[in-house]
Amino acid sequence: PHQHHTGSKERKMSNNDNNNNECLLNELNLRFLILEKRNLIRVSSNTSVDDTLKLLQLNNILAVPVYDEESKKYRGMVTILDIMAYVAYFSFPVNENAEEDEAQFKAFKAGNQAIVDLINAHQDSEAENNWIFKDSDNIGQILEPMSKGVHRVLVEHKLTLADSINKDICDSKEELESLERTRLLTQTDIIRFLLSYGVYETEDQENSVHLNIFKSLRDLDMEKWVVKKNLITIKDTDSALIGFRKLVQNGVKCAPVVDSEGHVVGALSGSDLRGLYSDILPYILKPVLEYKQFHASGGKQEPASLTQSQSLLNKQRFAAISVTMDASLHSVMVKMIINKIHQIFVVEDSNNLTPIGVISMSDVIYQFFDHYYQ
């Protein structure tokens, strides 16, 4: 399933290129971004779904490569979306009201299911487009796939013996040859790089060749794809199971949870499955916010109806991380990094938390790809 990116059609910088200041996207290679990355976390083909969920939670990650010990090759990538699709439709009866009757719950014996069987379980799975780059490829080369929804890529790292000795990794050629050479690079890594190394126009620059990320989403003409006519929402009275099924059915990774007035009071995404295992799976039959409260406690706090103060706190929290179309692209990027989120909901205005759209990391990266390469 691996698609190796050869870079045979390397894109040139557009007329915006500046002879005196070549863009860092072309100047630096991927080695610059992966030198400090931790060793690749992976699972073997026969690792269970239960164990994989625990591993994702322990390492705070959303995807993991599946490695076949016999062939010594990667079989593909399993993401939390694949697991979400599996849990939503293969763990419970798919009857219209099954989630309302806990007595109809079927024991989730599939917790022992081999994780390799879940590759491509979700329609938006990245398994078939497992991009693999070399650490000598320049950073700009991964903007296109990431602007089109690829969340993570594998980078083959050619670690030298000198590097390994300096970093106290190993001190012999034999040890070096046995090391895992692959690293995982994510959209978060790219957005952090774009912010940290000034690959944009600063507020005091005039006629700069760089992208002005201090413009509003509206001024950058992002409204046409950020604002959704039929935004998928989840009612706060829906069970978490219904919520996960809505996500799978509509091919979305995250959706706002709204109250009776249509205001955002939370969000549900595949990441809310991390750490869930077969023994406590029935809790996804609870109302979505109760389930999230239970999940946030690590399964230690019994689900209960939210108090008025807890509901107010939820509204305040999501008011802080939602944006309007008048927000700058820079503020969106900063909120994504600080809050460790991949999507931000767009609301009518600061006094009306009715969601009208969503902006993703792919949307942000597209702005850079479009500006520098299209």
Side-chain angles (χ1 to χ4, degrees), residues 84-358:
M84 179 176 71
Y86 187 72
V87 168
Y89 283 101
F90 294 94
S91 310
F92 295 86
V94 191
N95 297 326
E96 185 175 351
N97 296 315
E99 54 273 9
E100 297 175 8
D101 186 359
E102 194 163 339
Q104 294 186 44
F105 170 67
K106 292 183 178 179
F108 184 45
K109 296 177 182 178
N112 293 320
Q113 184 77 26
I115 195 65
V116 70
D117 296 331
L118 271 63
I119 294 176
N120 286 330
H122 190 272
Q123 60 181 336
D124 197 32
S125 174
E126 297 177 27
E128 290 187 341
N129 295 297
N130 228 356
W131 290 81
I132 302 178
F133 288 79
K134 296 178 181 178
D135 62 0
S136 57
D137 291 331
N138 65 54
I139 294 174
Q141 287 176 256
I142 68 174
L143 292 192
E144 182 171 10
M146 286 193 170
S147 72
K148 295 179 178 178
V150 174
H151 290 239
R152 51 195 66 83
V153 299
L154 295 174
V155 180
E156 294 175 342
H157 182 29
K158 293 185 178 179
L159 186 68
T160 65
L161 184 58
D163 283 338
S164 65
I165 292 175
N166 288 337
K167 293 180 177 295
D168 198 26
I169 298 173
C170 65
D171 53 13
S172 71
K173 186 176 180 180
E174 290 74 19
E175 284 184 275
L176 180 64
E177 290 176 350
S178 67
L179 290 176
E180 169 61 61
R181 305 294 184 90
T182 309
R183 294 292 184 270
L184 194 67
L185 203 59
T186 68
Q187 289 182 328
T188 302
D189 296 321
I190 296 303
I191 289 182
R192 186 181 290 116
F193 164 77
L194 294 171
L195 277 173
S196 301
Y197 288 87
V199 189
Y200 54 83
E201 177 179 314
T202 58
E203 291 180 284
D204 59 350
Q205 287 176 322
E206 293 184 6
N207 302 318
S208 169
V209 300
H210 290 301
L211 174 66
N212 185 351
I213 63 174
F214 294 96
K215 284 186 176 181
S216 71
L217 303 181
R218 196 185 310 279
D219 290 341
L220 289 170
D221 200 25
M222 297 182 69
E223 190 169 5
K224 56 190 175 186
W225 67 79
V226 168
V227 176
K228 313 292 182 184
K229 289 184 178 179
N230 298 304
L231 183 68
I232 303 303
T233 60
I234 299 167
K235 297 177 182 178
D236 59 2
T237 53
D238 286 341
S239 70
L241 178 60
I242 290 179
F244 287 127
R245 286 182 174 173
K246 281 186 177 180
L247 297 181
V248 175
Q249 287 170 352
N250 293 281
V252 295
K253 301 174 178 65
C254 180
V257 178
V258 297
D259 60 17
S260 58
E261 297 177 349
H263 293 167
V264 179
V265 292
L268 186 71
S269 70
S271 61
D272 292 311
L273 281 174
R274 286 185 300 194
L276 188 70
Y277 51 92
S278 52
D279 289 348
I280 60 175
L281 190 70
Y283 285 104
I284 70 171
L285 298 174
K286 299 291 185 182
V288 59
L289 293 181
E290 291 183 27
Y291 164 77
K292 283 180 64 69
Q293 184 184 31
F294 168 76
H295 183 266
S297 72
K300 298 176 182 178
Q301 182 178 334
E302 196 68 20
S305 299
L306 269 64
T307 64
Q308 188 173 358
S309 60
Q310 287 173 324
S311 296
L312 180 60
L313 183 61
N314 275 343
K315 288 185 178 182
Q316 292 173 338
R317 182 182 297 120
F318 280 90
I321 61 174
S322 60
V323 298
T324 68
M325 287 303 300
D326 294 319
S328 69
L329 183 61
H330 178 269
S331 67
V332 169
M333 295 168 72
V334 170
K335 284 187 176 186
M336 285 177 167
I337 297 301
I338 291 178
N339 295 286
K340 300 179 180 179
I341 51 180
H342 298 85
Q343 300 183 81
I344 289 181
F345 297 117
V346 181
V347 296
E348 288 279 5
D349 57 60
S350 57
N351 296 317
N352 182 358
L353 296 182
T354 301
I356 59 172
V358 60

